[in-house]
Amino acid sequence: MTELRKRGGGGGGGGGDPDSTENISDKETDGEDRIGLTGEGDRDSKPDTDTPEVPPPGERTPKCLNKALGGLSSRWKNWWIRGILTLTMITGFFLIISLGPFMLILVVMGIQIKCFQEIITIGYRVYHSYDLPWFRTLSWYFLICVNYFFYGETVADYFGALVQREEPLQFLVRYHRFISFALYLAGFCMFVLSLVKKHYRLQFYMFAWTHVTLLIVVTQSHLVIQNLFEGMIWFIVPISIVICNDIMAYLFGFFFGRTPLIKLSPKKTWEGFIGGFFSTVVFGYIFAYLLAQYKYFVCPVEYNSETNSFAVECDPSELFVMQEYTLPSVMQTVLRLKTMNLYPFQIHSIALSTFASLIGPFGGFFASGFKRAFKIKDFADTIPGHGGIVDRFDCQYLMATFVHVYITSFIRGPNPSKVLQQLLVLQPEQQLSIFNTLKYHLKERGMIPKAVEGQ
């Protein structure tokens, strides 16, 4: 026990981790978790230490890149590797966009699963020696349950015509929430049955670990897809401005950074933070202008039951129609213009860019704190020079939540298409009742012509 106290208070080269000391003292007071210290040797004594046992990620940089950049310093070598891989990922991103909404949905789901796997793997590696029963199996089971719930809701909301046509889907949609709850209850009961004496606390740590991971990863990815159905511009622009902010903050920090920004991320600087902010606002404004001109990007994504495909044809809403605005007096003096023609969405893009630049980075700081807590450099080694998928999407998930809240608060009213899809699922007598109510309401407001009224 003395050895454990020394490790908790003096490790890390000049200043221990306070969290480690607190956790050790807390565990020493738990009589049930201490039983193994005297009776079963080192295996059961391990819960007394909070020092993680996560191996460092391996080197996955392609040999050709290592050879080509072999003469550079580690700083510049990392710069080139990050740059080349970044351009490759951006190219792949736009290629996927060209393949349509369905492919984007599949990619979001794939990224979600990979992010979940990276975070759960860290938990498994930290506590691997305890041989906790069913930990990984239950983690993936809960992932399936949560995805079934969220994507089932999406099917019910946006694919009503398809549901109406397929009898098995009607049953699944009607009892969707009950089925989802029953599936979760089965996992909950399996977890309770898997509890093992002397490891109760640790197993509940892992239960909480799994649920927090689900909250962060699955919920946010579901919101990303919800944003996509509002129009691909609500998917592409937020993701792009976060990428722009990440790149520009890195470049400004790399070349001009002198003043540290936050202790959680020692390499982040105020110069990079400020440079990234202004660059992102300008980029978001211009990029929004370019995309707002095309129906493919601005139209809500709807499922066409006749062609069994996604449709992106519509009359653009007012957000994507050029309008004339009178500039404030200060801007009139600076720009020497009284009015300016622009898309209303460009104004919204400034709000999105501001959030991505000022608040979005806190998703990265949160991830940095998580990695420091477990003394790891990256979540994984999936992308050379970048780390894991979570390392690249830590800010995207926070951005997705903001965009969804922004749309529901300031942009979207009731969605006629979505209401119609829900009506199609109702029983015929319910549909007739709603029709008569709506007809009476329109007659009272004088909106039905007499020729139609007499029919």
Side-chain angles (χ1 to χ4, degrees):
M1 194 66 70
T2 304
E3 179 184 353
L4 293 178
R5 291 195 183 96
K6 288 180 179 178
R7 290 176 63 186
D17 186 351
D19 292 338
S20 298
T21 306
E22 292 174 6
N23 286 334
I24 290 169
S25 61
D26 180 58
K27 288 173 184 175
E28 286 173 352
T29 63
D30 192 320
E32 188 173 32
D33 285 351
R34 274 193 303 145
I35 294 175
L37 293 177
T38 58
E40 300 194 17
D42 293 338
R43 182 176 180 275
D44 289 328
S45 66
K46 287 183 179 179
D48 286 342
T49 178
D50 197 34
T51 304
E53 301 171 358
V54 183
E59 175 60 46
R60 299 188 62 176
T61 305
K63 293 182 180 180
C64 57
L65 274 181
N66 275 329
K67 185 176 180 180
L69 305 174
L72 300 176
S73 64
S74 59
R75 184 170 182 261
W76 279 99
K77 180 180 178 180
N78 183 65
W79 190 89
W80 278 104
I81 291 174
R82 286 175 65 96
I84 293 171
L85 268 296
T86 297
L87 291 176
T88 302
M89 289 187 289
I90 292 175
T91 303
F93 175 63
F94 284 104
L95 176 63
I96 293 170
I97 290 173
S98 68
L99 297 177
F102 182 70
M103 185 58 66
L104 286 173
I105 292 173
L106 292 180
V107 170
V108 170
M109 291 181 65
I111 290 174
Q112 172 219 111
I113 293 172
K114 182 59 180 174
C115 289
F116 182 83
Q117 183 264 334
E118 289 180 357
I119 299 176
I120 287 296
T121 297
I122 292 176
Y124 176 71
R125 287 178 176 175
V126 169
Y127 302 107
H128 176 70
S129 59
Y130 301 111
D131 298 321
L132 295 180
W134 296 101
F135 168 53
R136 286 189 296 180
T137 303
L138 284 174
S139 296
W140 288 100
Y141 176 81
F142 283 125
L143 175 67
I144 294 172
C145 290
V146 175
N147 272 311
Y148 176 81
F149 171 75
F150 280 124
Y151 287 99
E153 295 281 310
T154 300
V155 169
D157 288 342
Y158 294 98
F159 301 92
L162 177 64
V163 171
Q164 186 70 16
R165 196 172 59 197
E166 302 292 338
E167 188 66 30
L169 288 180
Q170 291 182 30
F171 173 82
L172 292 175
V173 168
R174 182 172 301 172
Y175 302 105
H176 171 68
R177 296 195 175 185
F178 180 80
I179 295 172
S180 301
F181 182 64
L183 290 173
Y184 179 83
L185 278 182
F188 180 82
C189 293
M190 285 190 287
F191 167 74
V192 174
L193 294 174
S194 71
L195 291 172
V196 178
K197 190 176 182 181
K198 303 176 187 176
H199 298 312
Y200 293 150
R201 179 188 296 188
L202 187 56
Q203 288 180 282
F204 277 99
Y205 283 165
M206 294 299 94
F207 186 75
W209 183 298
T210 299
H211 282 66
V212 171
T213 304
L214 291 172
L215 176 65
I216 294 174
V217 175
V218 182
T219 305
Q220 311 307 318
S221 65
H222 174 69
L223 295 181
V224 170
I225 294 177
Q226 293 289 309
N227 299 339
L228 172 63
F229 278 108
E230 297 296 325
M232 285 202 289
I233 195 168
W234 290 104
F235 173 87
I236 298 171
V237 169
I239 288 179
S240 299
I241 58 181
V242 171
I243 293 173
C244 173
N245 181 256
D246 191 37
I247 293 173
M248 298 309 297
Y250 175 76
L251 292 177
F252 274 93
F254 185 88
F255 291 106
F256 309 109
R258 297 291 183 274
T259 312
L261 175 64
I262 186 171
K263 291 183 179 180
L264 279 174
S265 298
K267 293 184 180 180
K268 301 288 174 59
T269 63
W270 276 104
E271 290 81 3
F273 186 76
I274 296 172
F277 167 73
F278 287 106
S279 302
T280 303
V281 171
V282 173
F283 169 81
Y285 183 84
I286 296 173
F287 194 52
Y289 170 79
L290 296 175
L291 295 189
Q293 302 177 51
Y294 300 95
K295 291 184 178 180
Y296 181 75
F297 297 115
V298 303
C299 290
V301 177
E302 297 179 353
Y303 179 76
N304 189 327
S305 59
E306 296 179 358
T307 61
N308 288 324
S309 61
F310 289 100
V312 285
E313 286 293 331
C314 69
D315 293 325
S317 67
E318 294 182 356
L319 283 177
F320 308 106
V321 176
M322 189 72 73
Q323 298 184 23
E324 184 179 62
Y325 289 89
T326 301
L327 298 177
S329 56
V330 176
M331 295 186 66
Q332 290 182 19
T333 304
V334 175
L335 301 177
R336 296 182 180 179
L337 293 172
K338 291 185 177 181
T339 62
M340 178 178 290
N341 293 325
L342 50 86
Y343 296 103
F345 181 77
Q346 290 179 268
I347 300 175
H348 295 293
S349 74
I350 296 175
L352 299 179
S353 299
T354 300
F355 180 89
S357 304
L358 301 183
I359 307 299
F362 280 85
F365 301 152
F366 177 86
S368 296
F370 181 91
K371 290 184 286 188
R372 283 184 171 274
F374 292 94
K375 299 179 175 65
I376 55 176
K377 183 178 183 294
D378 298 309
F379 282 90
D381 56 356
T382 308
I383 310 172
H386 292 266
I389 299 295
V390 179
D391 293 287
R392 290 278 55 84
F393 286 87
D394 46 12
C395 300
Q396 294 287 3
Y397 284 132
L398 191 62
M399 187 69 191
T401 304
F402 173 75
V403 173
H404 185 76
V405 172
Y406 190 88
I407 291 174
T408 55
S409 300
F410 304 109
I411 305 297
R412 183 180 64 197
N415 188 335
S417 176
K418 188 173 179 180
V419 172
L420 180 61
Q421 297 283 11
Q422 293 173 336
L423 288 175
L424 292 175
V425 184
L426 298 177
Q427 296 296 324
E429 58 273 12
Q430 294 174 316
Q431 295 175 346
L432 183 61
S433 175
I434 292 175
F435 169 76
N436 291 328
T437 303
L438 181 61
K439 181 180 177 181
Y440 174 79
H441 175 71
L442 293 176
K443 286 170 60 178
E444 289 294 314
R445 298 181 61 181
M447 299 181 66
I448 297 182
K450 292 183 178 179
V452 177
E453 183 179 342
Q455 294 178 356

